[in-house]
Every structure is written in structure tokens, then in C-alpha cells.
Amino acid sequence: MSVELRKLQKSDAKLFAELANDMRIAENTSDRFPHPYSESDAQRFIDLHQGESNAAVFGILFNGDLVGGIGLHFRADIYRKTAELGYWVNPKFWGKGIATKAITKILDFGFLNLDIAVVMAHVFGRNAASQHILIKQNFTRLGVIPNGAYKLGKYEDDVIFFKENPNF
């Protein structure tokens, strides 16, 4: 099994939109991730991140095929040395260890090449699979903000994880 990361290209927009346009993804991501997810949404996302210097955003490839997306997004002001991890894999590819391997790769890239001290991740309390992936990646569970998020008309517990840059 091969998992690789690569910069998204304009030619990826159609497939990226097809992969992302799944309610099971949308219900576990921030509201910045629209549903339905159109090709124009994908094109805007790709255009935004092609020249962006405050994020490292990649497509996730599984055996050479695009299956999802992953990124480290820098925070601002006094939190500028902290990046937030976001990732998704199309449900057809869940349970294959793809997200785990993609996270390993983006953390290796981020900690070696970017000026970040900490990577954080926010996961809904009901998303046990994503929490398990972060724990396997040696993230520390910082805590839970009960009802700290509001998604699709419901309050969600916000479970916060972090991992320090081992090179600091």
C-alpha cells in the first residue's frame, strides 16, 4: 500500500469535488468545507492554496490515485508557530490506514520544513475513528470543550489534540 502527498493541481478539481461531495465527510469537517461540494468549490480551494504561504495543503494519493486531502493551516498573531491539522479521506477508502500514513507524512514535512512548534487538531466527540488515528500518531488529548462546536444544527463536543515538534 502506497500513500503519498502531493500539491493539488487545477486538473484535480473535478475528481476532488467528486471525492469530497459526501455528507459523511461534511458532517465531520468545519463549515468552511461545504456540502454539497462542487467542482467550483474545489477549484476555489485549489486556487487559494496554490500560492498560500500560511498553509501546507496536499492531496492524499493511495496507490497513485487521489482519495482525499490534508493540510496544516497556520494560526495567526501569538499563535503563529501553531498549525492546525485538517484531513479527510473519501469513505470508500476508510479503514485502510490511509489517514494515519498521510498524517505521518504531513507531520514529517511540517516539523522539518515549516516554522511550527505545535500541531493541533479538533475532532468532534462522536468521531471515535479520527480520535483513534490521532492517538496512534502520538497526539496528546488536551481536553474536551463540551458543546464547543455547532455543526448541522447540533452542538458537538470539541475534542482537542496536540503534538509538539520533536525537533524543538
Side-chain angles (χ1 to χ4, degrees), residues 108-129:
D108 288 347
F109 172 81
F111 287 150
L112 290 173
N113 298 292
L114 305 173
D115 189 17
I116 54 176
V118 176
V119 171
M120 295 185 66
H122 294 259
V123 179
F124 294 136
R126 62 177 161 69
N127 191 344

Side-chain angles (χ1 to χ4, degrees), residues 2 16 21 32 91 137:
S2 168
F16 195 80
N21 190 31
R32 292 178 305 211
Q137 290 293 327

Side-chain angles (χ1 to χ4, degrees), residues 3-152:
V3 174
E4 299 298 326
L5 306 183
R6 76 160 164 78
K7 284 287 191 185
L8 292 165
Q9 303 159 0
K10 289 182 184 284
S11 60
D12 291 323
K14 185 176 192 310
L15 178 57
F16 195 80
E18 290 170 10
L19 292 166
N21 190 31
D22 189 300
M23 187 53 149
R24 293 169 290 181
I25 296 168
E27 68 188 12
N28 286 298
T29 57
S30 75
D31 285 343
R32 292 178 305 211
F33 196 100
H35 186 78
Y37 199 102
S38 69
E39 188 173 344
S40 63
D41 292 323
Q43 194 62 62
R44 265 191 306 279
F45 180 81
I46 292 167
D47 289 346
L48 173 68
H49 294 296
Q50 277 190 329
E52 189 175 28
S53 62
N54 68 339
V57 176
F58 302 96
I60 300 172
L61 304 181
F62 175 63
N63 295 333
D65 295 323
L66 184 65
V67 299
I70 191 165
L72 294 174
H73 304 271
F74 288 96
R75 298 183 63 205
D77 196 28
I78 62 171
Y79 304 107
R80 65 188 169 274
K81 304 292 184 178
T82 300
E84 185 172 349
L85 173 66
Y87 56 92
W88 61 271
V89 172
N90 180 275
K92 290 188 287 191
F93 301 96
W94 287 357
K96 299 180 183 304
I98 296 168
T100 301
K101 289 187 189 265
I103 291 169
T104 296
K105 289 182 179 292
I106 201 163
L107 290 175
D108 288 347
F109 172 81
F111 287 150
L112 290 173
N113 298 292
L114 305 173
D115 189 17
I116 54 176
V118 176
V119 171
M120 295 185 66
H122 294 259
V123 179
F124 294 136
R126 62 177 161 69
N127 191 344
S130 203
Q131 291 181 55
H132 179 70
I133 290 168
L134 294 171
I135 291 167
K136 282 192 336 189
Q137 290 293 327
N138 296 313
F139 274 72
T140 299
R141 185 176 183 261
L142 183 60
V144 177
I145 302 173
N147 300 314
Y150 188 75
K151 180 72 179 183
L152 299 173

